[in-house]
Short mmCIF file of all heavy atoms in Angstrom, two decimals:
data_model
loop_
_atom_site.label_atom_id
_atom_site.label_comp_id
_atom_site.label_asym_id
_atom_site.label_seq_id
_atom_site.Cartn_x
_atom_site.Cartn_y
_atom_site.Cartn_z
N VAL X 909 -0.17 -11.52 9.82
CA VAL X 909 0.34 -10.23 10.26
C VAL X 909 1.72 -10.42 10.88
O VAL X 909 1.94 -11.36 11.66
CB VAL X 909 -0.62 -9.57 11.28
CG1 VAL X 909 -0.11 -8.19 11.67
CG2 VAL X 909 -2.03 -9.51 10.73
N ARG X 910 2.63 -9.53 10.55
CA ARG X 910 3.97 -9.53 11.15
C ARG X 910 4.28 -8.13 11.67
O ARG X 910 4.03 -7.14 10.98
CB ARG X 910 5.02 -9.94 10.12
CG ARG X 910 6.38 -10.28 10.74
CD ARG X 910 7.44 -10.47 9.68
NE ARG X 910 7.89 -9.20 9.14
CZ ARG X 910 8.45 -9.05 7.94
NH1 ARG X 910 8.56 -10.08 7.13
NH2 ARG X 910 8.84 -7.86 7.53
N VAL X 911 4.77 -8.08 12.88
CA VAL X 911 5.14 -6.80 13.51
C VAL X 911 6.63 -6.82 13.77
O VAL X 911 7.15 -7.72 14.47
CB VAL X 911 4.36 -6.58 14.82
CG1 VAL X 911 4.80 -5.29 15.48
CG2 VAL X 911 2.86 -6.56 14.56
N ASP X 912 7.35 -5.87 13.19
CA ASP X 912 8.79 -5.72 13.39
C ASP X 912 9.03 -4.64 14.43
O ASP X 912 8.59 -3.49 14.27
CB ASP X 912 9.48 -5.34 12.08
CG ASP X 912 9.41 -6.46 11.05
OD1 ASP X 912 9.12 -7.60 11.46
OD2 ASP X 912 9.64 -6.19 9.86
N LEU X 913 9.73 -5.00 15.50
CA LEU X 913 10.00 -4.06 16.59
C LEU X 913 11.42 -3.53 16.48
O LEU X 913 12.34 -4.27 16.13
CB LEU X 913 9.80 -4.76 17.94
CG LEU X 913 8.42 -5.35 18.19
CD1 LEU X 913 8.40 -6.10 19.51
CD2 LEU X 913 7.37 -4.25 18.21
N PRO X 914 11.63 -2.27 16.84
CA PRO X 914 12.99 -1.68 16.77
C PRO X 914 13.81 -2.04 18.01
O PRO X 914 14.07 -1.18 18.88
CB PRO X 914 12.70 -0.17 16.68
CG PRO X 914 11.42 -0.01 17.43
CD PRO X 914 10.61 -1.26 17.19
N GLU X 915 14.22 -3.29 18.10
CA GLU X 915 14.90 -3.75 19.31
C GLU X 915 16.28 -3.13 19.49
O GLU X 915 16.74 -2.93 20.61
CB GLU X 915 15.01 -5.27 19.29
CG GLU X 915 13.68 -6.00 19.48
CD GLU X 915 13.87 -7.50 19.56
OE1 GLU X 915 14.96 -7.97 19.17
OE2 GLU X 915 12.94 -8.19 19.98
N ARG X 916 16.96 -2.82 18.41
CA ARG X 916 18.35 -2.35 18.53
C ARG X 916 18.44 -0.96 19.15
O ARG X 916 19.23 -0.73 20.05
CB ARG X 916 19.01 -2.38 17.17
CG ARG X 916 19.16 -3.78 16.59
CD ARG X 916 19.87 -3.77 15.26
NE ARG X 916 20.03 -5.12 14.73
CZ ARG X 916 20.59 -5.42 13.56
NH1 ARG X 916 21.06 -4.43 12.80
NH2 ARG X 916 20.68 -6.67 13.17
N GLY X 917 17.64 -0.05 18.64
CA GLY X 917 17.74 1.31 19.16
C GLY X 917 16.77 1.63 20.27
O GLY X 917 16.98 2.59 21.02
N HIS X 918 15.72 0.84 20.41
CA HIS X 918 14.68 1.12 21.40
C HIS X 918 14.28 -0.20 22.07
O HIS X 918 13.15 -0.68 21.89
CB HIS X 918 13.48 1.80 20.75
CG HIS X 918 13.83 3.05 20.01
ND1 HIS X 918 13.91 4.28 20.63
CD2 HIS X 918 14.14 3.26 18.70
CE1 HIS X 918 14.24 5.21 19.73
NE2 HIS X 918 14.39 4.61 18.56
N ALA X 919 15.20 -0.78 22.81
CA ALA X 919 14.95 -2.10 23.40
C ALA X 919 13.81 -2.04 24.42
O ALA X 919 12.94 -2.91 24.44
CB ALA X 919 16.23 -2.62 24.06
N GLU X 920 13.81 -1.00 25.28
CA GLU X 920 12.78 -0.92 26.30
C GLU X 920 11.41 -0.66 25.69
O GLU X 920 10.40 -1.22 26.12
CB GLU X 920 13.13 0.18 27.30
CG GLU X 920 12.30 0.15 28.58
CD GLU X 920 12.50 -1.13 29.36
OE1 GLU X 920 13.61 -1.69 29.32
OE2 GLU X 920 11.53 -1.58 30.02
N ALA X 921 11.36 0.18 24.65
CA ALA X 921 10.09 0.42 23.97
C ALA X 921 9.59 -0.85 23.28
O ALA X 921 8.39 -1.13 23.26
CB ALA X 921 10.24 1.56 22.96
N SER X 922 10.51 -1.64 22.73
CA SER X 922 10.11 -2.90 22.08
C SER X 922 9.52 -3.86 23.09
O SER X 922 8.52 -4.54 22.81
CB SER X 922 11.32 -3.52 21.38
OG SER X 922 11.81 -2.67 20.36
#
Side-chain angles (χ1 to χ4, degrees):
V909 183
R910 194 189 77 203
V911 177
D912 294 343
L913 301 175
E915 289 184 345
R916 295 183 179 178
H918 304 274
E920 193 62 32
S922 297

